[in-house]
């Protein structure tokens, strides 16, 4: 059986990769994928602590996080499709032009 530290290290690496992706990428789809990676890293942490402590509170919370993430992905993808129909690009800098 693996120790909780191993799960936390993997979770920290996943969260760091997601954060770097959000801060450096310009494609909106890649940014959404990085946000999903960050949410999955947090879910891994919840599951690890839930198993370590012997209760299911973390697992229940992961269920709700996954539900919100699915809704966020659906709404985000719908917005990107609508934006792509108007501008034929999903570059984040082009989305910034909507403020004008």
């Amino acid at each position: 059986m693996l120790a909780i530290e191993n799960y936390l290290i993997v979770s920290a690496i996943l969260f760091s990769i997601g954060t770097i992706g959000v801060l450096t990428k310009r494609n909106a789809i890649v940014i959404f994928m990085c946000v999903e990676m960050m949410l999955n890293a947090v879910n891994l942490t919840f599951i690890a602590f839930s198993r370590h402590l012997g209760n299911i509170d973390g697992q229940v919370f992961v269920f709700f996080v996954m539900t919100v993430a699915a809704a966020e992905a659906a709404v985000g993808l719908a917005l990107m499709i609508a934006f792509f129909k108007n501008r034929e690009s999903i570059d984040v800098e082009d989305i910034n032009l909507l403020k004008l």
Side-chain angles (χ1 to χ4, degrees):
M1 187 157 104
L2 294 174
I4 191 170
E5 290 85 12
N6 297 332
Y7 293 109
L8 296 178
I9 289 170
V10 170
S11 178
I13 291 169
L14 284 174
F15 194 85
S16 300
I17 292 170
T19 303
I20 290 169
V22 167
L23 295 176
T24 60
K25 299 299 179 185
R26 294 177 38 171
N27 190 336
I29 292 177
V30 175
I31 291 173
F32 274 117
M33 287 179 13
C34 290
V35 169
E36 293 294 327
M37 185 184 300
M38 291 167 63
L39 288 173
N40 284 329
V42 172
N43 286 341
L44 179 62
T45 302
F46 281 137
I47 293 294
F49 276 116
S50 176
R51 185 169 179 184
H52 180 70
L53 297 175
N55 61 11
I56 64 166
D57 294 341
Q59 296 175 9
V60 171
F61 197 68
V62 165
F63 177 73
F64 289 115
V65 170
M66 288 175 64
T67 304
V68 170
E72 174 258 334
V75 171
L77 185 59
L79 287 171
M80 283 187 266
I81 289 172
F83 185 75
F84 184 77
K85 284 183 179 181
N86 290 336
R87 299 279 180 157
E88 295 184 3
S89 172
I90 53 172
D91 194 31
V92 177
E93 301 219 357
D94 292 338
I95 295 172
N96 198 15
L97 294 175
L98 290 175
K99 292 181 183 178
L100 297 176

